[in-house]
Amino acid sequence: MADVPAPLTLVESFLNSIDVESGLDDLRDLATFRRWLADHDRPAPADEADLDLARRLRAELRAETATHHDPPEQAGHRSRDALDALSVRIPLAVRFAPDGAAVPAPAGTGVTAVLGEVLAAVALAAHDGSWRRMKICPADDCRWVYYDASRNSSRRWCSMRVCGNRNKTRTYRQRTAPA
Ligand SMILES: [Zn+2]
């Protein structure tokens, strides 16, 4: 999606690795998960535990984006215990950039490094406010995660165009198909 800021592109792709409308799930088994990783230039020797961790993290982060439709004072009603329990399994470290900036960065290997990239991007985005703009379409047959770039952060649906013409699956598959 063109609206997604560069630091959140992997997050957006990870959260949309399941397509509710078509039922296609890039994390449905190890073979498809490994292909998803390779398609995103992050080949990793994934095993069943990695796949399980990735699925759980995706589910929790997708549930988190659903709270972004609410005013900030209401977004605190969801339990983050499950999310916390997952995130301790994904090592992060503080990295210091040449300009002195200190940022979270993945400290694991293989799949935990990829999931660490996702978590680090979420942490940074939570800090600069852009994470709250990652929202999930409330249509039951859509549930597409999108970035709300509207001025007052009031966009409720993924896109009338995308949701309307039902081409997103095809577009998405074309975008992520192996070269
Ligand atoms: Zn939608």
Side-chain angles (χ1 to χ4, degrees):
M1 301 265 161
D3 284 342
V4 181
L8 283 170
T9 51
L10 181 66
V11 175
E12 187 261 349
S13 190
F14 179 63
L15 295 185
N16 284 326
S17 60
I18 185 166
D19 188 308
V20 170
E21 185 198 352
S22 67
L24 290 173
D25 182 356
D26 289 321
L27 273 57
R28 69 182 172 277
D29 55 34
L30 270 180
T32 55
F33 183 37
R34 287 180 184 138
R35 194 172 69 210
W36 185 89
L37 289 163
D39 286 350
H40 289 76
D41 300 319
R42 290 160 178 84
D47 62 19
E48 289 289 348
D50 293 322
L51 178 60
D52 182 65
L53 182 62
R55 282 180 182 149
R56 290 169 190 267
L57 182 68
R58 183 182 65 182
E60 282 297 319
L61 290 178
R62 282 172 63 89
E64 204 53 30
T65 61
T67 71
H68 294 171
H69 290 283
D70 302 330
E73 64 274 14
Q74 284 177 22
H77 290 188
R78 199 180 100 81
S79 168
R80 272 76 183 200
D81 292 350
L83 191 50
D84 276 344
L86 293 173
S87 73
V88 295
R89 295 165 59 188
I90 301 166
L92 294 176
V94 174
R95 290 284 154 75
F96 291 87
D99 65 357
V103 294
T109 57
V111 169
T112 58
V114 179
L115 300 180
E117 261 190 86
V118 170
L119 272 189
V122 168
L124 282 169
H127 212 67
D128 71 19
S130 54
W131 174 233
R132 279 198 63 79
R133 288 177 175 270
M134 291 291 287
K135 300 178 180 180
I136 192 163
C137 182
D140 285 338
D141 59 349
C142 177
R143 309 300 286 170
W144 194 254
V145 175
Y146 63 96
Y147 185 80
D148 179 1
S150 68
R151 186 187 299 263
N152 55 359
S153 192
S154 62
R155 203 171 123 203
R156 179 145 180 82
W157 305 91
C158 66
S159 158
M160 291 315 289
R161 176 179 59 82
V162 172
C163 230
N165 71 14
R166 301 298 182 189
N167 271 339
K168 68 180 181 302
T169 303
R170 186 164 53 82
T171 306
Y172 175 72
R173 294 291 144 187
Q174 285 169 349
R175 184 159 53 87
T176 59

